[in-house]
Amino acid sequence: VLKFSQYTGANALAGRWMPGTLTNQITTKYLEPRLLIVTDSRTDSQALKEASYANIPVIALCDTDSPLENVDIAIPANNKGKESIALLYWLLAREVQYLRGTLSRASGWDIMVDSFFWRDPEELDNKQEEEQEYAKPAETWTAPAGGAADSWEAGAAGGDSSWDAPATGGGDDWSAAPAPAAEEGGQNW
């Protein structure tokens, strides 16, 4: 929303909607917009109600479960995912640039969609810290004494290195008779 307002010159009101913003002229946050664009008509129901009182046209990004009361133009879209919302606002901003004539339809818009994604500042800091940890030089590894790790052909502890050789170890004889059953009434675990 903030990038959309940056590229179109609109006033962004991101965050919590203060009741009375469009109807109460006494408040310091009173606004008289010509158009209201909302991301979700369900969560922004208070803004939609106030816009209907003030006769302000409303454009809403609507999912299949979004109510359409007080919505003038519904844009069918996924308004739940942050990538989807970013793409929609990028498309709207690009179309506004086209309609104003500041951007030619023959040439592409050099602003990437990625710049419209919301990124949590703490998440970015954590990612930078992880990248710095990966950028540290690796410790030098040395071969164990005795030179056993010099070649793969040496085999494991001098045994047969053939894949077709029978497995050794374990020593369990599976053909042995089963253990006798516990006496009745007793709890021989």
Side-chain angles (χ1 to χ4, degrees), residues 5-187:
S5 64
Q6 175 186 348
Y7 289 110
T8 60
N11 293 331
L13 217 144
R16 187 178 184 280
W17 177 264
M18 294 297 296
T21 302
L22 301 177
T23 55
N24 191 355
Q25 298 175 359
I26 299 172
T27 61
T28 57
K29 295 225 177 217
Y30 177 71
L31 297 173
E32 291 182 276
R34 291 186 289 169
L35 176 69
L36 185 67
I37 300 175
V38 295
T39 303
D40 188 8
S41 60
R42 187 174 305 280
T43 57
D44 298 327
S45 61
Q46 179 67 34
L48 292 177
K49 186 183 286 186
E50 290 184 24
S52 71
Y53 293 156
N55 290 329
I56 298 170
V58 175
I59 298 175
L61 305 178
C62 295
D63 206 354
T64 56
D65 64 342
S66 299
L68 297 177
E69 295 102 20
N70 303 322
V71 173
D72 296 313
I73 298 174
I75 299 173
N78 176 13
N79 59 6
K80 302 295 187 257
K82 65 180 181 178
E83 290 87 6
S84 176
I85 293 170
L87 176 64
L88 290 167
Y89 276 110
W90 181 83
L91 289 170
L92 283 173
R94 187 184 68 171
E95 190 62 29
V96 168
Q97 297 289 330
Y98 286 153
L99 293 174
R100 288 184 178 166
T102 57
L103 187 63
S104 170
R105 289 199 187 268
S107 64
W109 198 25
D110 58 346
I111 305 301
M112 299 294 294
V113 179
D114 298 350
S115 65
F116 280 70
F117 290 164
W118 165 254
R119 292 180 183 90
D120 189 20
E122 292 177 4
E123 182 181 319
L124 290 175
D125 291 341
N126 292 341
K127 188 175 182 180
Q128 288 176 352
E129 289 174 5
E130 288 177 5
E131 289 174 358
Q132 289 175 357
E133 287 178 13
Y134 289 132
K136 290 181 182 176
E139 298 177 12
T140 56
W141 294 83
T142 58
D150 288 341
S151 75
W152 287 92
E153 290 80 25
D160 187 9
S161 63
S162 172
W163 287 97
D164 298 326
T168 58
D172 295 336
D173 185 11
W174 290 90
S175 64
E183 293 181 19
E184 211 171 300
Q187 293 188 3

